[in-house]
Amino acid sequence: MEALQVIDTRVLYRSVIPPSSKNTEIIKELNKLKANQRKIFLVHMTASLGSKLFALAKNAEMMSEGYAWMVTEGLSSLLDPLSSKVMDSMQVEKAGMHSSFFKQNVSGCNANLAALDIFENGTRLRNTIVNTKFVGLSRNFVLVNGQLEPSTFEVFNVIGKTEINIGYWTPQRGFFKDLKDTSEKAYSTSKDKLKPLIWPGYTIHQPPLRLRIGVPVKNGFKEFVKVKWISSTDDTTNVSGFSIDVFNAVLDALPFPLSPEFIPYANKQRQSNGTYDQLLYEIKTKMYDAVIGDITIIANRSTYVDFTLPYTESGVQMVVSVNDDERKSLWIFLKPLSLNLWLTIGIAFIFTGLVIWVLEHRVNTEFRGPPEQQLGLIFWFSFSTLAFAHREKVVNNWSRFVLVIWIFLVLILTQSYTASLTSILTVQRLKPTFVDVNEIIKNGYFVGYQNNSFVKELLKEQLDIHESKLKPYETLEEYHEALSNGTHNGGVAAIFDEIPYLKIFLANYPSKYTTVGPLYQTDGFGFVFPQGSPFVPHMSRAILNVTQNRLKIQAIENNYFSSQLTCEDQNTGISPNSHSLGVDSFGGLFLIAGIASTFSLLVYVFQLFYSHWPVLSDNNPADSCWSKLVKMAKHFDQKDLSSHTFKGEESRVHAIASPEVFEPSPSIDDIQNHTRNSIEGSDDVVIHDDNSSLSSSSRHGDASMQDVPNSS
């Protein structure tokens, strides 16, 4: 057994047969091995006992296909009749001496050696034995420095009464086919270095080891494990599911064959016979050789079983119901921007409109008029830039500077608003009823979990939820009903379960529920074996080969989950304001626009005061500062006739008042009426008549307007 453990091979069961056993006792032990589905045997016993064992094993039909027997050297010698050469090599009488002993002198010695005789030719016999060489059952017998030289072992296959040599083994080379072949010096443990084996039943296929595998019986989430009884009277079952298919794929990746026998963990009513923890404990009682299914790897279970590496992701999370889709809200158009951003934009609109009005009021007739007209223009102008629909032209260069930066800001705002609103209208936003598990615990709300799952202990121990507030459920429909009813109507406020189950649940109800809160980490689903099982490392390596082959694992997932697992993340936008743009997103733009507007305004005001304050001071030096400010305000409200915009008007009026040529010549009364109406009703001078027109470029004779009063 120690030699087998060195090469990581363990014996699962030991059957002890005393040398004095009778046939009935041997038959009883063989029947026990046969009932336990043992198929591969390593026999280590005396030749006389072995001869009886194999005869009885043949009668018990245990030498047929599916079984494998391996014997050690002591028993294999029974199969090879002793040749004369071997018989001759067994004579060690080459020393050519007879037995002769003498008593040693033990006087003065307290040790009780007086009873021992000394062989008088001992030295000669020792030298003879050391130098003895012969060919025995294990090839050459040679002693080197008093030690037996490592032997060469023959490996042979017994088929009926025929022995077929399949290779050799030495400590230096391991397995090899031919003694004469010395080309390969590397040590080999591969069976590929041996000749093909013929197994019982005259087959070249190695008999698989049969494993009794327990599988859970579930009422819900049958995508992972589904047990179906073939008939109502027969115990034959059909076991399928994602976990079973992954296990079969792992078996194909193993370097040796295994034959699984799936046994449902069910009672007489064909319902679950207990919790998952109870199922795993049946491995310790040797009811099952392994357990396969949606079994989560957790610490307390590892105290009595061994797990393979996980084949799925996992973790426990909370799922809650969500409110109605916000797309149904009457005020959804306000959602793209936060309240702070709306207020900031409003202030920026008013401030920019005011700055443009100040800069344009004295030089632009479109920014003049009655007070209510000008106030409306302040609000209208900035807001009209949202759609670039403003028709008022600006003539001040400072106004243009401010407007360029402001229009750039408006462009960014409108594009961002459009994108955010489009996202809200086209992408579903989920607003959970609860986002904090502490709120649920504090208010004493009911919480659900999957029946027979370890999640119940997690809720009690880690989250300190009282057992009276926990409700077990099994199916997707039960989850849906419990969450829909809510904690006040016989349901629950939230359900805790593992990620693979929640993905399936959310895929079936994508718009009603969502996962929130922290993820409580677990190690995923794994296969379970007895502690110290030699299958665990082999299975773990095979699991890595399967799970890292994305095409293979994806094909298995598509068989059971298809569209379900495409819903990778149901948490997008679950926060109520996660999609609203805030001031921070545009802080830099607002800062630039504010600085530009303020700077332009200050420069303009400084220039205004600088150019007109001395004039006001010289007119009446005794005026108070307030009086001067009032006069300055009145002066600001007047047109700046020095501006290039009004110089053109003044020249046109002058052209009307002092024409050189009129064609045709209007009457004096027409000129007076048109001039008076133009001065009283408008800042501009427009002369129009149905029958004639007046142009500053027209010339007609030497007519003069000196007799026309108030003509300019």
Side-chain angles (χ1 to χ4, degrees):
M1 297 305 175
E2 292 176 355
L4 291 174
Q5 290 177 0
V6 169
I7 59 171
D8 197 24
T9 301
R10 293 176 177 83
V11 178
L12 300 179
Y13 180 79
R14 298 186 185 186
S15 177
V16 179
I17 300 178
S20 59
S21 297
K22 299 179 180 179
N23 288 354
T24 55
E25 296 173 341
I26 297 176
I27 292 174
K28 182 178 180 181
E29 190 63 29
L30 289 174
N31 290 334
K32 184 188 300 184
L33 294 173
K34 190 175 182 180
N36 289 337
Q37 303 294 328
R38 308 298 177 185
K39 298 290 185 179
I40 301 178
F41 306 98
L42 175 63
V43 184
H44 180 70
M45 57 177 57
T46 61
S48 58
L49 184 59
S51 61
K52 293 193 296 181
L53 172 71
F54 284 111
L56 296 174
K58 184 176 182 180
N59 294 335
E61 298 182 350
M62 297 178 67
M63 300 294 291
S64 59
E65 183 177 359
Y67 290 89
W69 297 84
M70 294 175 287
V71 297
T72 57
E73 182 187 11
L75 187 57
S76 65
S77 62
L78 172 68
L79 306 175
D80 189 12
L82 299 180
S83 62
S84 58
K85 185 177 181 180
V86 174
M87 293 294 293
D88 294 338
S89 67
M90 293 179 66
Q91 307 299 320
V92 293
E93 294 294 334
K94 291 183 178 181
M97 59 191 73
H98 298 283
S99 299
S100 177
F101 299 89
F102 62 90
K103 292 288 184 180
Q104 63 176 331
N105 184 9
V106 294
S107 60
C109 181
N110 295 327
N112 187 18
L113 300 177
L116 296 179
D117 293 339
I118 298 177
F119 184 47
E120 59 182 2
N121 293 318
T123 302
R124 183 179 176 184
L125 176 62
R126 172 185 173 279
N127 293 334
T128 302
I129 293 175
V130 168
N131 295 322
T132 298
K133 299 179 179 179
F134 62 89
V135 179
L137 293 177
S138 57
R139 298 291 175 179
N140 297 329
F141 177 88
V142 179
L143 295 178
V144 179
N145 296 326
Q147 300 293 328
L148 182 64
E149 186 180 31
S151 303
T152 300
F153 288 88
E154 181 183 11
V155 183
F156 58 89
N157 198 180
V158 179
I159 304 175
K161 296 181 179 180
T162 305
E163 301 175 13
I164 300 179
N165 177 277
I166 60 173
Y168 302 92
W169 179 89
T170 64
Q172 293 83 9
R173 298 177 58 186
F175 290 121
F176 56 95
K177 295 179 181 179
D178 192 352
L179 281 174
K180 297 180 181 180
D181 184 10
T182 59
S183 58
E184 294 187 13
K185 301 297 183 180
Y187 188 88
S188 173
T189 59
S190 173
K191 65 179 181 181
D192 296 334
K193 296 296 183 179
L194 299 175
K195 299 174 184 177
L197 284 171
I198 305 297
W199 297 93
Y202 295 94
T203 177
I204 60 174
H205 300 293
Q206 181 179 347
L209 179 62
R210 198 166 188 84
L211 293 179
R212 296 168 302 164
I213 297 178
V215 294
V217 177
K218 301 170 66 70
N219 292 328
F221 297 102
K222 294 184 179 180
E223 292 85 353
F224 293 97
V225 178
K226 181 180 180 180
V227 178
K228 181 180 180 181
W229 275 265
I230 303 301
S231 66
S232 58
T233 58
D234 192 1
D235 288 336
T236 305
T237 59
N238 180 29
V239 182
S240 61
F242 174 74
S243 298
I244 304 301
D245 282 7
V246 172
F247 179 71
N248 290 330
V250 170
L251 293 184
D252 294 338
L254 289 174
F256 52 85
L258 284 178
S259 178
E261 178 188 1
F262 297 110
I263 305 173
Y265 186 56
N267 53 25
K268 295 181 179 179
Q269 290 74 33
R270 295 182 174 178
Q271 298 297 319
S272 177
N273 199 32
T275 65
Y276 277 33
D277 288 337
Q278 292 171 332
L279 169 60
L280 297 186
Y281 199 78
E282 297 294 353
I283 295 180
K284 190 174 181 64
T285 64
K286 298 184 179 180
M287 180 177 179
Y288 303 119
D289 298 320
V291 170
I292 304 302
D294 48 344
I295 312 297
T296 304
I297 304 171
I298 54 177
N300 65 330
R301 291 174 177 173
S302 64
T303 59
Y304 52 91
V305 293
D306 277 353
F307 289 94
T308 63
L309 291 176
Y311 61 90
T312 66
E313 63 173 330
S314 192
V316 176
Q317 203 165 14
M318 177 175 69
V319 62
V320 297
S321 59
V322 296
N323 293 333
D324 291 338
D325 194 340
E326 62 184 9
R327 288 179 290 187
K328 302 175 183 178
S329 173
L330 294 175
W331 306 101
I332 190 173
F333 66 90
L334 296 175
K335 291 289 185 179
L337 308 181
S338 65
L339 177 60
N340 291 337
L341 184 55
W342 279 118
L343 295 176
T344 304
I345 292 175
I347 295 172
F349 274 134
I350 297 173
F351 179 70
T352 303
L354 180 62
V355 171
I356 297 295
W357 177 81
V358 170
L359 296 175
E360 295 290 322
H361 179 67
R362 301 188 71 239
V363 296
N364 194 336
T365 56
E366 294 186 357
F367 287 82
R368 301 185 63 82
E372 62 274 11
Q373 180 72 16
Q374 298 182 55
L375 182 63
L377 184 62
I378 291 175
F379 288 95
W380 153 256
F381 183 80
S382 294
F383 281 92
S384 64
T385 57
L386 277 174
F388 307 103
H390 56 286
R391 293 178 297 178
E392 295 80 10
K393 295 182 179 180
V394 294
V395 297
N396 191 315
N397 285 332
W398 287 113
S399 301
R400 292 166 179 163
F401 171 68
V402 171
L403 200 56
V404 166
I405 297 178
W406 172 250
I407 290 178
F408 179 73
L409 172 60
V410 168
L411 176 64
I412 299 298
L413 287 174
T414 53
Q415 294 296 325
S416 301
Y417 175 86
T418 303
S420 183
L421 183 60
T422 302
S423 176
I424 293 175
L425 294 176
T426 57
V427 179
Q428 189 175 38
R429 300 290 178 176
L430 303 176
K431 182 179 180 181
T433 53
F434 300 98
V435 295
D436 188 3
V437 65
N438 294 322
E439 179 183 358
I440 297 177
I441 299 173
K442 180 180 179 181
N443 294 324
Y445 294 151
F446 287 99
V447 173
Y449 66 96
Q450 187 177 166
N451 192 29
N452 294 330
S453 171
F454 76 97
V455 175
K456 178 181 179 180
E457 300 302 321
L458 182 146
L459 296 175
K460 291 168 57 179
E461 296 176 3
Q462 294 192 25
L463 299 182
D464 198 24
I465 300 178
H466 196 271
E467 189 170 0
S468 62
K469 297 297 181 181
L470 300 178
K471 293 185 177 182
Y473 301 100
E474 292 187 337
T475 65
L476 295 175
E477 293 73 19
E478 291 179 357
Y479 277 25
H480 170 58
E481 183 179 359
L483 289 171
S484 298
N485 292 337
T487 186
H488 300 297
N489 297 312
V492 295
I495 288 179
F496 284 82
D497 209 342
E498 296 179 81
I499 295 299
Y501 304 120
L502 295 184
K503 281 188 175 181
I504 298 176
F505 176 65
L506 294 176
N508 284 272
Y509 303 95
S511 61
K512 296 181 180 295
Y513 309 101
T514 185
T515 53
V516 295
L519 179 67
Y520 302 93
Q521 191 63 47
T522 59
D523 289 333
F525 296 163
F527 303 140
V528 194
F529 290 88
Q531 282 188 325
S533 171
F535 294 116
V536 172
H538 296 289
M539 295 293 291
S540 295
R541 284 190 287 268
I543 287 174
L544 289 177
N545 291 332
V546 172
T547 55
Q548 290 180 1
N549 187 338
R550 194 57 204 165
L551 293 178
K552 179 179 291 187
I553 197 68
Q554 188 68 51
I556 298 176
E557 290 177 352
N558 292 339
N559 289 337
Y560 298 98
F561 307 119
S562 61
S563 61
Q564 283 98 323
L565 291 186
T566 60
C567 303
E568 290 294 336
D569 191 0
Q570 294 290 338
N571 293 331
T572 304
I574 64 171
S575 177
N577 294 321
S578 62
H579 51 272
S580 296
L581 300 173
V583 178
D584 294 340
S585 303
F586 307 97
L589 286 175
F590 280 113
L591 184 62
I592 294 173
I595 292 175
S597 299
T598 304
F599 178 75
S600 301
L601 181 62
L602 292 177
V603 170
Y604 177 79
V605 172
F606 175 77
Q607 290 178 343
L608 181 65
F609 273 78
Y610 180 78
S611 60
H612 296 285
W613 188 267
V615 177
L616 296 177
S617 301
D618 295 340
N619 291 339
N620 192 357
D623 287 347
S624 64
C625 184
W626 175 253
S627 299
K628 293 180 180 181
L629 289 176
V630 172
K631 291 180 180 180
M632 180 61 72
K634 291 180 179 180
H635 180 74
F636 168 76
D637 193 45
Q638 297 175 1
K639 287 184 178 181
D640 184 4
L641 298 179
S642 64
S643 171
H644 69 282
T645 58
F646 294 131
K647 286 182 179 180
E649 277 188 11
E650 187 176 358
S651 63
R652 287 198 298 273
V653 173
H654 180 71
I656 295 172
S658 304
E660 295 181 1
V661 178
F662 289 90
E663 185 180 11
S665 178
S667 65
I668 298 300
D669 293 336
D670 290 337
I671 295 176
Q672 288 179 335
N673 291 335
H674 281 293
T675 304
R676 184 181 301 109
N677 293 337
S678 298
I679 294 175
E680 292 177 353
S682 173
D683 291 334
D684 295 327
V685 177
V686 179
I687 298 177
H688 176 73
D689 185 80
D690 293 337
N691 299 318
S692 62
S693 61
L694 177 64
S695 173
S696 60
S697 62
S698 301
R699 301 181 182 274
H700 180 71
D702 298 329
S704 175
M705 295 184 63
Q706 295 177 355
D707 297 330
V708 181
N710 301 323
S711 61
S712 62

